[in-house]
Structures are given as C-alpha cells and as structure tokens.
Amino acid sequence: MQVLCKRTNGNAETNCCVCGQGFVMFWDRQSHAERLAAIHEIQESLRRHHRNAQGPEAHPKESFLVPEWSGSDSFAGNAVPGSAPTWDL
C-alpha cells in the first residue's frame, strides 16, 4: 500500500518525531493493522529525510509517496501526486 503524504501547518494526522512537522495522509481504506504498519513506515521515511538536515526543511516541499514509487505513473493508481480529488485536499 502506498500513502501520499503532504506537509501541513494545520490539522496534521501525523508529525515527524524529529522536527515536529505535520503531515496529512491520503490512502485507500485499509484494515486497522495495515494502517498501523503504514504509519510505522511513514515515520521511518520521515526520519530518513533528516539525514542531511534537522529542521522541517528536511522534508519534501511537495507531496511524497511512502513507500517511494520508482515505477511508471500508470501503475501508481490513486497515490500519484495530483490525482487526489479536490475535496480530499
């Protein structure tokens, strides 16, 4: 499962444990166990962003996928940045 994460200064669904930057997450409905596993993976990804910087600037300014997508956009489904419905943003 891929999750589209986007920075926010408002109502965050999760925060980086290093710098506190907030993020909202866009994902398909999953079981509780799958969501917990995804949140763990998101936190790992947020920590990896801090290899070269300690503050919120370490995170991508645009939305990003967890896990990162390295294939063709045609197989990414709804997790492609820009494909979220406007009411989701």
Side-chain angles (χ1 to χ4, degrees), residues 9 12 34 45 48 55 62 68 74 77:
N9 292 323
E34 288 171 316
S45 180
R48 282 193 301 274
E62 302 297 322
E68 291 181 20
S74 63

Side-chain angles (χ1 to χ4, degrees), residues 6-24 43 46-47 49-50 53-59:
K6 184 176 172 99
R7 291 172 84 151
T8 185
N9 292 323
N11 294 328
E13 294 176 276
T14 192
N15 294 82
C16 175
C17 63
V18 176
C19 68
Q21 175 65 52
F23 295 89
V24 291
Q43 286 297 325
L46 295 175
R47 277 192 292 278
H49 290 165
H50 285 283
Q54 291 304 307
E57 68 278 358
H59 304 291

Side-chain angles (χ1 to χ4, degrees), residues 59-71:
H59 304 291
K61 293 196 184 322
E62 302 297 322
S63 56
F64 59 96
L65 293 171
V66 176
E68 291 181 20
W69 180 255
S70 59

Side-chain angles (χ1 to χ4, degrees), residues 25-43:
M25 301 173 288
F26 302 93
W27 46 15
D28 291 329
R29 292 184 183 201
Q30 303 295 328
S31 71
H32 181 69
E34 288 171 316
R35 288 177 73 93
L36 288 176
I39 289 171
H40 176 75
E41 191 167 352
I42 290 165
Q43 286 297 325

